[in-house]
Amino acid sequence: MKKPLVVVAAAVVLAGGGAVVTSAEARQPATGGASAADSGNGRGRGQRPLVIAHRAGTADFPENTVRAIRGALEQKVDMMWLSVQVSKDGVPVLYRPGDLSALTNGSGAVADKTAQELARLNAGYQFKQGDRYPYRDPARATPLPTLEQALRALPQDMPVLLDVKSDNTELVVPALRKTLDTLAGEGVTTWQRIRFYSTEKKNLDALADRPDARIFEDRDTTRTRLAVSRLTGECQAPPARGTWAAFELRRDVTVEEKFTLGTGRSPVRQALMWDKPAVACFRTHPAVDITLIGINTKDDYQTAMKLGANAVLADSPKDMMKIKNTLPPLAD
């Protein structure tokens, strides 16, 4: 579960990332920005954002499995978002939660199991449809795949957004490099079509040491810029040309006010994190790509269109591709 963003009266404290924007920082002069339509990204305001299959389609099939990948491809999604961890013996595998019991018929951490042990698990064991668990049927068991298996199952021109779900940078980054280099040596497209995302900035920093590695802006930086824009209306340190940034369209927020005799807190459910000024700030420099996370309804997809988002992260490719394909571009 994502931690709520916390806003403090004297400072903006963003839970889960450790970034702090003091009130003095928030008073920096505003920087001029371009509109979404002038961003130079080829997807101006009103155009249909690309659809990214979140965890290969976590609402349609057991997430991060080859079965989910094939299902998303059948829906003709534009990009694939996959979650990766690394096994005890250094093999990147597709899995998101901290414990294997959350989705499989196993238990413990991915990093405590060998790739061979992980391959014996049913990644669809906890997947529920209505009141049924269809993938508990041995005939429909869905193995927990390696990253190599996933990339081989994907068309070579399918962009892949790889969410690195590990805080052990010293283990996961070398394992990723080894796997991608090995596949590249066999003619499989890897570095050219993969962009890395992680809530752990140290993972992105380590990957960025390689010149051909493409990475998202770190989440703390994106979060801080969004918070300053939404709370002050000012644009602080807009991203450089060509940056890719991703953040939720809506988040649970707690407004925390500190005063002499104590602290007051006001929870805000599903606060809107992006608006047109925030998008304009991010697009101060050209070719900045904005991906909105958690877009699962027609209304939110239309909001993404109005904002000029490049892409949206959707749990159900089946539902979101229908929405995308039936909505006309919005008039300016």
Side-chain angles (χ1 to χ4, degrees), residues 58-114:
T58 182
D60 296 340
F61 297 100
E63 66 178 51
N64 289 308
T65 62
V66 173
R67 180 65 191 92
I69 288 172
R70 289 172 178 162
L73 292 175
E74 289 170 4
Q75 300 301 324
K76 302 187 185 305
V77 296
D78 301 298
M79 300 184 193
M80 200 73 62
W81 180 287
L82 304 174
S83 312
V84 65
Q85 297 189 45
V86 65
S87 68
K88 183 178 181 179
D89 49 346
V91 177
V93 297
L94 299 193
Y95 195 72
R96 174 186 55 88
D99 196 283
L100 290 161
S101 63
L103 300 178
T104 79
N105 55 334
S107 63
V110 167
D112 292 336
K113 309 287 185 182
T114 66

Side-chain angles (χ1 to χ4, degrees), residues 31-32 217 225 235-241 243 280-285:
T31 304
E217 176 178 78
R225 190 184 299 109
C235 181
Q236 182 189 72
R241 178 190 182 101
T243 297
C281 174
F282 275 74
R283 295 251 174 85
T284 296
H285 304 299

Side-chain angles (χ1 to χ4, degrees), residues 29-164:
T31 304
S35 70
D38 297 329
S39 68
N41 293 351
R43 305 197 72 78
R45 185 171 57 252
Q47 297 299 307
R48 290 188 293 267
L50 302 176
V51 172
I52 306 168
H54 189 205
R55 307 174 201 150
T58 182
D60 296 340
F61 297 100
E63 66 178 51
N64 289 308
T65 62
V66 173
R67 180 65 191 92
I69 288 172
R70 289 172 178 162
L73 292 175
E74 289 170 4
Q75 300 301 324
K76 302 187 185 305
V77 296
D78 301 298
M79 300 184 193
M80 200 73 62
W81 180 287
L82 304 174
S83 312
V84 65
Q85 297 189 45
V86 65
S87 68
K88 183 178 181 179
D89 49 346
V91 177
V93 297
L94 299 193
Y95 195 72
R96 174 186 55 88
D99 196 283
L100 290 161
S101 63
L103 300 178
T104 79
N105 55 334
S107 63
V110 167
D112 292 336
K113 309 287 185 182
T114 66
Q116 188 175 32
E117 290 172 326
L118 293 169
R120 291 196 289 265
L121 298 179
N122 179 1
Y125 189 77
Q126 302 290 4
F127 186 83
K128 193 173 183 179
Q129 288 180 325
D131 59 353
R132 298 174 54 249
Y133 292 89
Y135 293 92
R136 291 186 179 182
D137 179 348
R140 300 189 68 189
T142 307
L144 192 154
T146 65
L147 176 61
E148 176 182 349
Q149 290 169 334
L151 292 177
R152 290 187 186 279
L154 284 164
Q156 294 299 291
D157 59 351
M158 169 63 69
V160 176
L161 309 177
L162 205 56
D163 186 1
V164 184

